[in-house]
Amino acid sequence: MLEISARLEEALNRAFIKVFPKEDQSSKTSSILTGSNLVPASKPEFGDFQINCALSLAKELKQSPREIAQKIADQLQKDNDFVQICNPPLIAGPGFINLSINAKTLISEIHFRLNDKRLGVPLKKFSSEKIEKGKNNNRVIIDFSSPNIAKEMHVGHLRSTIIGDSLARVLEFCGYEVLRLNHVGDWGTQFGMLITHLKEVVPEALHTKDVVEISDLVNFYRQAKKRFDEDPIFQNKSRNEVVNLQAGGQESLIAWQLLCKQSRNEFQKIYDRLDIKLIERGESFYNKFLVDVINDLKNKNLLINDQGAQCIFLDGVVGKDGKPQPIIIQKSDGGFNYATTDLAAIKYRLATPPYGDGAYRLIYVTDAGQASHFSGVFQIAKLANWIPADCQIEHVPFGLVQGEDGKKLKTRSGETIRLVDLLDEAIQRAREDLKDRLSTESRSESESFIDNVSTTVGIAAIKYADLSQNRVSNYQFSFDKMLSLQGNTAPYLLYALVRIAGISRKGGDLKVSSQNIQFEEPQEWALIRKLLQLDCIIAEVEKELLPNRLCGYLFELSQIFNRFYDQVPILKASEPSRASRLALCSITANTLKLGMSLLGIPTLERM
Ligand code: ARG
């Protein structure tokens, strides 16, 4: 529908020029006319698009809105391209113009999608000349997942991982070159504490592989943190240890590498199960650029010395006491902060290769709690002139994961939930649901079938439950809801696909290329119209970075398909309806598969 709506927009502008000649326009009318006046219909019974500007124009021109609407409609009817695409416009209510795409156009769009792998979604075109000059307006960086070494990955990181991956998939599909960066927390004071503590309690863990498990490591970290907070001598030792590490001390480096490796292996297990690809480039990578950041900010007179620390005060950034709060770029002991690393990262990511990544859009997927951190860091980068005019930098925040009681998600005994346990439980529950269903349906299936279906459904349910919420709001984690076959859930969508696969097993040839496609039922037209919206939805996600839009679309598509499937005969229909309906089944299946793959969710033929 993207191309069609663009053509309609052009036709509308041509009509405007005829009905409201430029020389007669006031500034007010011209601003109405240049706005975006073609909007999707608010209800399916109004057709496909609506033009609402007659009402505001009427006020300006002191004429009746219906008369104005009529003039626009008459003019549209004289436009060649318009009449190719649309049925005659209808004036409704006080002066709305309703447009519906004509059958011929809809059918030709359906024909096109039957043979188009991209299902009508255009591939972005980039200027090769610009790309050669290192101005990669096709390159996007998504910074996501990004857990911290020696700490366990928590549900917040799971959200970041799932949302970030889906955004990466959508942008990749649009044609961008996406750098999926895992900005792991692998640097800083936590290592000083941990190494100091381990030296005393399990020194062999600092030079021998696999002496401690990740869960032990997490406990050691907790103990170390406690000692750090309570014991000034331990604090001092830890600080020295950090200095040692940052200065490249051999022993410390080896210990650090071991600890990172251990965590990395653990993280990788989760990524493998979720089918997530990431490139690890942790905070430590930017260590060598930190001094440069300080010098650059100093040269631009942006730093203020506040009790020995190098700080920046930004407009509107105040502490809880309402006083201006500085962002500390370099601590009084010479150490650097989380923010300093992020500044170095911005510089590097935007710099032209070989000095950096040469990206044009930077996307950061973290919990909403980091919003002020990013807003501060982005402001500083702008003040320092590091963000070229055509580059975009965005924080993509998400809300908290809560239990069904609305409180922080915890185990029954009140501990933080481990991600592996969460995935295992989803799969286990999916398996129990499946076994119940098999026994009510008196079906017997192999163990490998049961394994495959429950793993797929379990993982799909977790991912979809997360993605289908508007990410900005908090989301309530409920196994029962996410695994239900009813409602906006992964199993519901998977089931629509299974139905289509069933049609094909029963002899319906989905590889239709029928020249003679015909439709008459309203359920068919409703399905066609929904199918043709895919390109608009993808364009929206690309821009607004909200995967829930895609989920909502796939859910509606499944509902409309199910209505069609329940109410209109397919295999039993006579030709040409049979082939035409099979064509719709085929495009629906491809659309669902593509949509799910962009969400990072695997699909099934049977379940
Ligand atoms: N490691 C951080 C955390 O666990 C997230 C890092 C996000 N990315 C960034 N460039 N700051 O909260």
Side-chain angles (χ1 to χ4, degrees), residues 143 145-148 154 157 183-185 283 338 342 349 364-367 370 373-374:
D143 174 321
S145 193
S146 311
N148 300 315
H154 55 67
H157 295 123
H183 191 82
V184 294
E283 293 180 17
Y338 183 50
D342 262 324
R349 291 168 181 186
Y364 297 78
V365 189
T366 79
D367 64 286
Q370 300 200 33
H373 161 75
F374 283 110

Side-chain angles (χ1 to χ4, degrees), residues 256-273:
W256 171 73
Q257 276 159 356
L258 265 177
L259 297 174
C260 289
K261 195 154 178 232
Q262 185 104 7
S263 291
R264 191 175 295 136
N265 291 344
E266 233 19 67
F267 299 156
Q268 195 55 43
K269 283 185 201 155
I270 303 263
Y271 298 143
D272 287 344
R273 288 180 75 174

Side-chain angles (χ1 to χ4, degrees), residues 87-380:
N87 294 319
L90 294 174
I91 314 285
F96 301 117
I97 307 171
N98 292 341
L99 303 182
S100 68
I101 309 295
N102 61 31
K104 195 176 120 245
T105 307
L106 292 175
I107 292 178
S108 92
E109 290 288 315
I110 282 295
H111 248 296
F112 175 68
R113 271 158 192 73
L114 264 177
N115 301 308
D116 181 29
K117 276 207 191 73
R118 298 187 55 86
L119 297 169
V121 182
L123 197 59
K124 274 252 139 60
K125 291 192 188 75
F126 300 101
S127 124
S128 53
E129 194 192 338
K130 267 193 168 175
I131 292 174
E132 270 159 33
K133 283 190 193 145
K135 297 235 170 292
N136 299 306
N137 67 339
N138 65 335
R139 185 170 298 168
V140 177
I141 288 180
I142 308 190
D143 174 321
F144 69 104
S145 193
S146 311
N148 300 315
I149 300 286
K151 299 190 196 170
E152 210 138 16
M153 224 199 248
H154 55 67
V155 280
H157 295 123
L158 181 67
R159 281 209 92 173
S160 171
T161 307
I162 294 173
I163 296 170
D165 174 61
S166 161
L167 295 177
R169 286 171 190 259
V170 171
L171 294 178
E172 279 154 2
F173 181 69
C174 291
Y176 295 99
E177 188 193 312
V178 179
L179 210 53
R180 299 153 157 262
L181 290 187
N182 200 1
H183 191 82
V184 294
D186 65 354
W187 209 232
T189 33
Q190 83 243 44
F191 288 96
M193 297 180 219
L194 192 61
I195 294 176
T196 312
H197 183 59
L198 287 175
K199 264 188 182 163
E200 289 172 27
V201 290
V202 240
E204 46 308 356
L206 296 172
H207 46 75
T208 321
K209 264 203 327 211
D210 299 328
V211 174
V212 288
E213 296 231 350
I214 180 80
S215 49
D216 300 336
L217 214 51
V218 173
N219 280 330
F220 286 129
Y221 175 73
R222 280 201 202 112
Q223 294 162 8
K225 174 88 173 72
K226 190 158 180 280
R227 290 183 68 186
F228 185 86
D229 291 339
E230 289 167 1
D231 175 2
I233 300 176
F234 184 83
Q235 242 178 52
N236 242 344
K237 277 192 191 163
S238 303
R239 292 227 169 84
N240 287 338
E241 197 56 64
V242 180
V243 176
N244 225 335
L245 177 63
Q246 300 194 336
Q250 263 313 310
E251 239 188 37
S252 309
L253 266 180
I254 290 176
W256 171 73
Q257 276 159 356
L258 265 177
L259 297 174
C260 289
K261 195 154 178 232
Q262 185 104 7
S263 291
R264 191 175 295 136
N265 291 344
E266 233 19 67
F267 299 156
Q268 195 55 43
K269 283 185 201 155
I270 303 263
Y271 298 143
D272 287 344
R273 288 180 75 174
L274 294 174
D275 185 25
I276 306 276
K277 304 258 179 314
L278 271 156
I279 297 172
E280 184 182 319
R281 194 201 272 166
E283 293 180 17
S284 61
F285 174 87
Y286 302 98
N287 191 42
K288 51 186 175 295
F289 304 116
L290 297 178
V291 176
D292 217 39
V293 166
I294 306 289
N295 289 339
D296 198 351
L297 295 176
K298 240 183 220 157
N299 291 339
K300 288 175 178 153
N301 283 327
L302 290 167
L303 293 181
I304 289 175
N305 189 319
D306 188 36
Q307 297 165 46
Q310 297 298 323
C311 303
I312 296 187
F313 288 87
L314 292 172
D315 289 344
V317 180
V318 286
K320 287 200 183 95
D321 53 5
K323 287 191 189 146
Q325 194 175 22
I327 296 181
I328 301 175
I329 309 292
Q330 186 167 28
K331 293 186 274 191
S332 52
D333 67 2
F336 302 103
N337 274 334
Y338 183 50
T340 327
T341 304
D342 262 324
L343 287 170
I346 293 177
K347 249 187 120 178
Y348 187 86
R349 291 168 181 186
L350 293 174
T352 311
Y355 304 103
D357 296 315
Y360 105 103
R361 188 179 187 186
L362 307 184
I363 294 168
Y364 297 78
V365 189
T366 79
D367 64 286
Q370 300 200 33
S372 62
H373 161 75
F374 283 110
S375 135
V377 164
F378 295 171
Q379 280 185 63
I380 296 173

Side-chain angles (χ1 to χ4, degrees), residues 491-541:
Y492 183 81
L493 302 198
L494 290 173
Y495 195 67
L497 262 174
V498 164
R499 281 184 138 180
I500 302 176
I503 296 174
S504 141
R505 274 195 302 278
K506 281 181 220 138
D509 182 7
L510 294 184
K511 290 195 195 67
V512 267
S513 60
S514 168
Q515 290 309 302
N516 186 12
I517 289 187
Q518 259 182 39
F519 301 105
E520 61 237 29
E521 301 297 340
Q523 294 91 334
E524 293 171 323
W525 292 116
L527 183 55
I528 291 167
R529 292 197 142 89
K530 196 80 224 166
L531 286 170
L532 297 184
Q533 284 171 8
L534 178 71
D535 55 354
C536 299
I537 300 293
I538 305 264
E540 238 176 82
V541 180

